[in-house]
Amino acid sequence: MKQISVDIGGTFTDCFLVWDDQYIETKSLTTHHNLALGFMDALEQGCSKLGLDVKTVLSQVDSVRYATTLGTNALIERKGPRIGLLTTAGYEHSVPLSRGRGYGEGLTPQEQQDLAAARRPEPLVPMRMIAGVRERIDYKGKVVMPLDEEHLRSQIRLLIDRGAQAFVVALLNSVVNPVHEKRVEEIILEEYPSHMLGAMPVILSHQVGGRKGEYGRATSAILDAYLHERMYHALSSLEMTLKEYGYNKPMLVVHNTGGMAQLNSTHALQTIHSGPTSGINAAEHVAEQFNTGKLIAMDMGGTSCDIGLVVGGGIRFYDFNPTIDRWLVNHPILHLKIIGAGGGSIARYDQMFNTIEVGPQSAGSDPGPACYDRGGMYPTVTDADLILGYLDPDNYAEGSIKLNRKRAEFAIREHICEELDISVVEAALQIKQKVDSNMAFAIAQELGVKGYDPKNFTLLAYGGNGPLHSCGIAKELDIDRIFIPPFSPIFSALGAGIMNQLHIHEKNVFMNIYDSNTRSLFDQYDTFNSIVAELENAGREDLLRQGMDEKDIRFRLELDMRYGNQLTETSVISPTNRLHSVEDVFNLIAAFSENYGERFGLGSQSPEAGIRINTIRVIAYVELDSIQFNKEEQQTGGEAVPSKEKLCYFVGFENPILTKVYDVETIPSGAVIEGPALVESPRTTYLVEPGWKLVMGPQRSAWILRNRSESRIRDELRTVSEIQR
């Protein structure tokens, strides 16, 4: 197997190159003005390690897989085309008005509570670019008012005269019957064929979001259209660059639904948060291969910390109505909790509470943390980690970035110490404690909402800063086990390398599987099965269009179910893809009951309220060759020999502690290292805090386990400190 997987983050671009039995990881700084530059730089590093040139590698690889934050950046910068929105006449104000709580979507809880300063987001489509279309389809899909085509043509010309560069068509109830939306598209292309206005995108809302909810479906289509041009040109340019270097296959783009597809089968909206999604995919792979049990997947990079859950059994958590930037959409996205807590997160003095706050603002890669010596003036988490002794200033990012300790000290002293009247080290310890606490709180909140106990999970720490902060976070959560996976610094890029080609199609339904009023079971099997068959056909067509063999296509049926009118929905993998009998219905109810009980506790099930299906979802996929970790690698149990010792500071300990430093390349599999210790690799650092021990695994993976009580460690270290004095 030969493949290239790339994940573009806010600070670093990660590359994972598979060349037969060689696995190579590289990093380069993200080039926000042209993402292809960072991509090619990381790729060239990998090719040089193979002793091959880029053209040789690209001409032979099986695939190039790409996860990007380009869409996220475009929204932040508000760089998109002028969009014309065509909607059902009388509903022109639905999108500008949004929902009653629309002012708070995408804001922090503190900002949502500040009602006096509440402002709705600046609209992507101004009111003058919205035009009504005379038509009406009812909730059952019946045409109540035929489409007035002459009036439609005049409305299209009006929007073109006002500068429309893309069209979004979002008509009422089009998910039930899309006939009018399809006809609108035909008329737009009749009026303005491509040879007149060029490739003007026309986005139909029913093709972007398949569920009811007019506002969410319209905003989904608007965001898709807004990102379309930039995504198309950027990714097409990258694809052309690859072709110039000899790559003649379609580029595969990671989707935020948990799969990937060719560029020509990818909506722009599907690329939002695609990098963190591939990390969750890799976490599922690790859980299966290393038998880790339930995992909290924590990807702490340079800009943010992405948190996801892996609970096994094929169960995935989706956001069915996520908020992207400031807009609610109804496009399903693999659920992630994203907080502004990365190495580049800026620490600042909080005047109101007379303390330190960290994030969500980030120094990114340009200028970066103060210690990068590239013009950054504000203290960050990385600056604090350098002050505390955890980072080697001469061997950061494989030595490509030399860290300047004096710059870090100056930034912390100027912005933190002078306000709180504390030393630089005390400030650095508070920064570390604050960022660890923020991440632990976000994880605990995430688990609590879903009905899980942190003690039943293992913390999976990856990303450039995950292994460095994992002990501090685990202590806050009272978790005793941490697993650092193979290739942890570029783990999300690796996740793109083990994804399947996959498409998701879904449909809103209202089906009473068990009606508590009549005490009857669902028996409309043909209706249910016809919807499933329709969704399977849509997924099959997607994959066949990409050149997949029909015999390789697989389907998974997921159902969003709930008890009665509960707001909480549970995604259940159906035991069978068709319903044919009462026994099939009972098996489905049993699967739902088991899943619900595991999440919220045995006895929490409420069948007396009735059981409903709200969404039918079909995942169509093709299993591709996957990366296999060498988990059977011989464990020698040999001793690890430290390369040096250095003084480091730890939260909860008054004095610096003499800490052994190990080179990850020299640690045999099975070796045990007692904390406090540092394990350095070219692209990350494993921090083993006092009271923990590290057990080295294959391919630089490691278990970090709670070893002894902190009070006992403190007593021992106090004695050592006195001896040193």
Side-chain angles (χ1 to χ4, degrees), residues 18-38:
V18 178
W19 195 259
D20 295 328
D21 58 349
Q22 297 184 69
Y23 295 164
I24 295 171
E25 54 181 286
T26 62
K27 276 181 178 283
S28 67
L29 285 171
T30 295
T31 49
H32 292 280
H33 62 287
N34 185 348
L35 298 183
L37 297 178

Side-chain angles (χ1 to χ4, degrees), residues 315 317 449-452 561-573 588-611:
I315 296 171
F317 296 104
V449 166
K450 291 181 169 54
Y452 292 113
M561 302 178 67
R562 70 182 184 185
Y563 287 116
N565 290 322
Q566 279 188 357
L567 295 177
T568 300
E569 290 185 355
T570 301
S571 181
V572 178
I573 298 175
L588 176 58
I589 290 174
F592 171 54
S593 177
E594 181 181 357
N595 184 294
Y596 192 93
E598 183 180 347
R599 290 179 61 184
F600 299 104
L602 295 177
S604 61
Q605 298 93 334
S606 306
E608 65 276 6
I611 302 173

Side-chain angles (χ1 to χ4, degrees), residues 678-693:
L678 290 168
V679 177
E680 295 181 341
S681 81
R683 284 160 290 277
T684 191
T685 299
Y686 309 173
L687 176 63
V688 188
E689 295 197 13
W692 296 75
K693 69 177 179 182

Side-chain angles (χ1 to χ4, degrees), residues 63 135 281 289 360 553 597:
S63 63
E135 65 84 38
N281 190 73
Q289 290 206 22
I553 297 175

Side-chain angles (χ1 to χ4, degrees), residues 249-263:
K249 301 178 181 67
M251 186 175 69
L252 298 174
V253 181
V254 174
H255 289 185
N256 47 29
T257 51
M260 64 182 180
Q262 294 175 11
L263 179 59

Side-chain angles (χ1 to χ4, degrees), residues 252-359:
L252 298 174
V253 181
V254 174
H255 289 185
N256 47 29
T257 51
M260 64 182 180
Q262 294 175 11
L263 179 59
N264 61 5
S265 296
T266 299
H267 286 299
L269 192 61
Q270 292 172 318
T271 67
I272 298 289
H273 304 324
S274 62
T277 297
S278 61
I280 300 298
N281 190 73
E284 292 175 344
H285 196 65
V286 161
E288 181 181 340
Q289 290 206 22
F290 286 88
N291 195 27
T292 59
K294 294 183 177 69
L295 292 175
I296 300 166
M298 183 192 74
D299 178 7
M300 185 179 178
T303 304
S304 64
C305 180
D306 308 314
I307 300 162
L309 301 181
V310 175
V311 298
I315 296 171
R316 284 184 164 185
F317 296 104
Y318 290 94
D319 274 334
F320 301 112
N321 292 287
T323 298
I324 295 177
D325 196 283
R326 295 290 310 280
W327 291 277
L328 179 88
V329 301
N330 67 1
H331 170 75
I333 293 177
L334 202 63
H335 179 74
L336 290 160
K337 178 84 170 181
I338 300 175
I339 61 174
S345 294
I346 294 173
R348 65 187 186 280
Y349 170 65
D350 187 330
Q351 188 174 14
M352 179 176 291
F353 297 101
N354 192 37
T355 187
I356 292 174
E357 189 53 77
V358 179

Side-chain angles (χ1 to χ4, degrees), residues 62-283:
D62 306 318
S63 63
V64 174
R65 298 151 182 238
Y66 191 70
T68 177
T69 59
L70 183 62
T72 309
N73 295 338
L75 280 177
I76 293 171
E77 297 165 7
R78 295 293 187 267
K79 292 182 178 178
R82 194 168 182 80
I83 296 170
L85 172 63
L86 291 165
T87 189
T88 301
Y91 290 81
E92 294 90 341
H93 290 80
S94 294
V95 171
L97 286 174
S98 71
R99 305 190 302 163
R101 56 187 291 186
Y103 77 91
E105 286 165 351
L107 299 180
T108 64
Q110 292 83 357
E111 290 171 322
Q112 290 177 6
Q113 293 169 14
D114 188 4
L115 296 178
R119 296 289 184 275
R120 296 183 186 275
E122 192 68 25
L124 297 179
V125 183
M127 192 62 223
R128 69 187 308 270
M129 295 303 296
I130 301 175
V133 177
R134 294 173 185 168
E135 65 84 38
R136 191 62 185 268
I137 291 175
D138 70 10
Y139 72 101
K140 291 183 178 180
K142 180 183 176 182
V143 177
V144 178
M145 178 188 294
L147 179 65
D148 186 337
E149 296 190 1
E150 286 306 311
H151 178 256
L152 169 63
R153 292 177 192 274
S154 67
Q155 296 292 68
I156 293 171
R157 296 188 193 108
L158 174 68
L159 293 179
I160 288 290
D161 290 342
R162 291 178 176 176
Q165 298 168 309
F167 278 108
V168 169
V169 186
L171 305 180
L172 251 58
N173 296 313
S174 60
V175 291
V176 185
N177 183 356
V179 61
H180 284 175
E181 281 197 0
K182 290 179 178 179
R183 182 56 185 152
V184 170
E185 180 183 35
E186 291 173 358
I187 291 175
I188 291 173
L189 296 178
E190 287 174 10
E191 289 288 313
Y192 297 97
S194 58
H195 67 270
M196 290 182 64
L197 287 180
M200 174 180 286
V202 180
I203 307 298
L204 306 184
S205 68
H206 77 274
Q207 294 178 346
V208 178
R211 285 180 285 133
K212 290 184 178 179
E214 310 307 329
Y215 172 70
R217 180 161 50 83
T219 53
S220 299
I222 289 169
L223 284 174
D224 194 72
Y226 193 76
L227 300 174
H228 180 277
E229 182 180 13
R230 187 167 182 181
M231 293 296 300
Y232 174 79
H233 288 299
L235 294 181
S236 296
S237 299
L238 177 57
E239 196 168 40
M240 292 299 295
T241 301
L242 294 174
K243 286 182 178 179
E244 289 174 10
Y245 281 89
Y247 181 71
N248 56 11
K249 301 178 181 67
M251 186 175 69
L252 298 174
V253 181
V254 174
H255 289 185
N256 47 29
T257 51
M260 64 182 180
Q262 294 175 11
L263 179 59
N264 61 5
S265 296
T266 299
H267 286 299
L269 192 61
Q270 292 172 318
T271 67
I272 298 289
H273 304 324
S274 62
T277 297
S278 61
I280 300 298
N281 190 73

